[in-house]
Amino acid sequence: MARAGRRAYRDGMECNRPILDLIRIIHARLCARSYPNRPQLAQALEVDVRTVSRYLDYMRDRLGLPIDYDPKRRGYCYTKPVERLPVVPEAVSESELFAMLVAAKALGQYRGTPWHAPLEKAFRKMTAHLDNRDLIHLEELDGMLDLRLAGPDELNPEVFAVLTEAITRRRPLEFAYRKHSERTIGRRRVNPYQLACVLNRFYLIGLDLDRDAIRVFVVGRIRDPRMGPGRFKRPDSFSGKDYLKRSFGIFRGNADYRVVIDLDAWGADVFRDRRWHASQQVEETANGLRVSFQLDNLEEIESWVLAWGLHATVVEPAELADRVGNIARGLAGRYGNDKG
C-alpha cells in the first residue's frame, strides 16, 4: 500500500483507517481462534506485513493483551479468554491535548472533595495512552495556560465525604455550624438535597428541620457532620437550579428587582462578551453599556457594583443606589484626608 495519504499513528503504525477499526478486526479473529498469520492479517487490513507486526506488538505490549504465536497452528491466538477490548486511543489533536491540560489544571478546584482522587486517576488513565511526542507537547502547552481559581475553598475531605454520602443515600444530617459573621456555633438538623459550587465555594442546600425551610450552608463552616437514622424523600418539585435561578450568586431572597447598571467605556470593555447571569440584558450606549438583571435580592449585586468602582452607576432600583451611596460615603469618611 502506498505511503502517500496514510495517516501516521503513534508507535510508527501507519494506515488510512482509524486504528480502533483495525485492532477490532485483529481482536475478532483472535477471539474466533482462527489462528491468523501475519500475511492473512495484512490482506484483511490492507497493510503490509511489517505494519501487522507493529499492531500485534502494540496490542500485546501497550494494551496488555495475551497474544502469542502457536507454532503448531502457524498463527496467532489469545492464550487466555479476553472478555473485552481495552480502550484504544485515537490520534490526539492539538485541541484535545489543550482540553486535557485545562482539565488537569481545573482539578485544583476539587481538592478536598471525594471527587479529586478519582478525577486525578481518570486523568492519569487518559494520559497513559499518550505517546512520547504527545506528552512532550503537553508539557510545552503547560506553559501556555495559567488557570487561576479565586479564593477556592480549603475543604476537609472527611466532612465532604459524609455530606456526599448523606445526599446520595437520602440520610438526614446533624452538624455543628457557624453562621456568617457570628462567633457562636450551633447544631443544625438538615435533610441534605444538593451540593452547589458557586464562585469557587461549595455550599450545601437542604431542608433545615428545625426551621422547616430550605437553607444554604457553607461547606467550609460545617463541623462534625453525622448521618442520622432513617431516610428522607427529596421533594420532586425541588430543583437546585430553579432555587437559585434569580440569585446573583448563592444568596436567595423573596423580592423582585429589576437591576439596571450603566458602565462607562472602561467597564464596558471588561464586561462585554461575558455572561454574569441568566437574566442578563445588554444595551450599547453612547458612553459604554447599560446592563440589567432580574433578581430576587440585592445582597450580592451590591458588592458586584462596588467592585467596579467609579466605572459603574446604579440606575435602578433606588434602594440599591442608596445602599451603594451609603457605603461610598462611609468609605470616604474612613479614608478621606479631612477626617478629624
Side-chain angles (χ1 to χ4, degrees):
M1 186 176 184
R3 294 181 62 87
R6 289 177 178 172
R7 184 179 180 184
Y9 286 91
R10 56 186 62 86
D11 294 325
M13 295 183 292
E14 296 175 349
C15 185
N16 60 0
R17 295 167 62 186
I19 180 175
L20 184 55
D21 289 350
L22 303 179
I23 288 180
R24 279 175 175 161
I25 294 173
I26 299 175
H27 171 70
R29 299 208 172 196
L30 295 178
C31 285
R33 301 189 70 80
S34 60
Y35 296 92
N37 55 34
R38 288 185 298 168
Q40 290 170 339
L41 288 173
Q43 183 177 5
L45 301 178
E46 299 179 351
V47 297
D48 57 39
V49 173
R50 289 179 300 174
T51 300
V52 169
S53 297
R54 289 195 290 268
Y55 272 88
L56 291 169
D57 290 343
Y58 178 84
M59 293 174 68
R60 182 182 60 247
D61 301 335
R62 295 288 295 275
L63 301 183
L65 292 170
I67 298 175
D68 201 0
Y69 182 80
D70 188 324
K72 293 182 179 179
R73 302 291 188 97
R74 296 183 179 180
Y76 290 90
C77 64
Y78 283 141
T79 58
K80 59 183 179 181
V82 177
E83 295 183 2
R84 62 177 183 175
L85 192 64
V87 175
V88 181
E90 296 284 1
V92 182
S93 68
E94 180 97 1
S95 61
E96 289 169 337
L97 279 175
F98 207 84
M100 286 185 182
L101 179 62
V102 173
K105 290 181 179 288
L107 280 176
Q109 181 173 351
Y110 301 96
R111 196 174 303 281
T113 73
W115 312 315
H116 185 261
L119 282 171
E120 209 168 32
K121 183 178 180 181
F123 182 77
R124 285 198 299 269
K125 283 184 177 180
M126 285 192 298
T127 55
H129 293 290
L130 298 179
D131 64 16
N132 290 335
R133 290 170 298 172
D134 287 335
L135 289 173
I136 292 172
H137 192 43
L138 192 60
E139 291 180 1
E140 292 173 347
L141 290 174
D142 184 61
M144 302 178 187
L145 175 67
D146 184 12
L147 186 62
R148 299 191 181 190
L149 303 173
D153 269 344
E154 293 187 4
L155 300 169
N156 184 323
E158 296 178 359
V159 169
F160 214 97
V162 175
L163 300 188
T164 53
E165 183 178 0
I167 292 171
T168 304
R169 296 175 60 187
R170 300 287 192 266
R171 295 279 298 276
L173 276 173
E174 183 176 341
F175 51 80
Y177 189 73
R178 180 183 63 80
K179 291 179 63 176
H180 181 68
S181 74
E182 293 187 3
R183 295 188 176 184
T184 57
I185 297 177
R187 298 294 298 182
R188 295 296 187 95
R189 298 187 308 121
V190 175
N191 284 348
Y193 289 169
Q194 182 178 329
L195 287 166
C197 184
V198 181
L199 299 176
N200 299 320
R201 168 161 270 190
F202 279 92
Y203 298 87
L204 173 69
I205 305 174
L207 177 66
D208 189 313
L209 297 174
D210 295 321
R211 295 160 181 79
D212 193 27
I214 294 178
R215 293 288 187 266
V216 178
F217 305 91
V218 179
V219 171
R221 296 199 204 115
I222 293 176
R223 299 289 184 271
D224 189 29
R226 301 176 185 178
M227 284 188 291
R231 301 181 66 182
F232 66 87
K233 184 180 185 302
R234 192 174 84 166
D236 295 333
S237 59
F238 174 80
S239 164
K241 184 177 180 180
D242 290 340
Y243 181 77
L244 297 174
K245 181 170 61 176
R246 296 178 62 197
S247 300
F248 199 71
I250 194 66
F251 192 88
R252 186 175 185 270
N254 297 310
D256 186 14
Y257 293 101
R258 182 174 183 264
V259 176
V260 181
I261 312 291
D262 278 349
L263 296 171
D264 64 14
W266 186 94
D269 277 346
V270 176
F271 183 98
R272 194 175 279 111
D273 300 323
R274 299 174 71 181
R275 193 71 178 174
W276 298 86
H277 193 264
S279 66
Q280 174 177 313
Q281 298 291 326
V282 182
E283 177 187 347
E284 294 281 347
T285 66
N287 299 317
L289 289 178
R290 172 163 287 189
V291 300
S292 63
F293 310 103
Q294 203 68 34
L295 307 175
D296 60 16
N297 71 88
L298 300 176
E299 304 305 316
E300 289 158 318
I301 193 69
E302 174 189 291
S303 58
W304 185 83
V305 171
L306 288 168
W308 291 91
L310 295 176
H311 301 291
T313 302
V314 177
V315 178
E316 58 178 287
E319 180 182 344
L320 178 59
D322 290 342
R323 289 170 63 161
V324 172
N326 289 335
I327 294 173
R329 285 186 288 274
L331 290 172
R334 180 175 296 181
Y335 297 106
N337 294 328
D338 58 346
K339 59 182 180 178

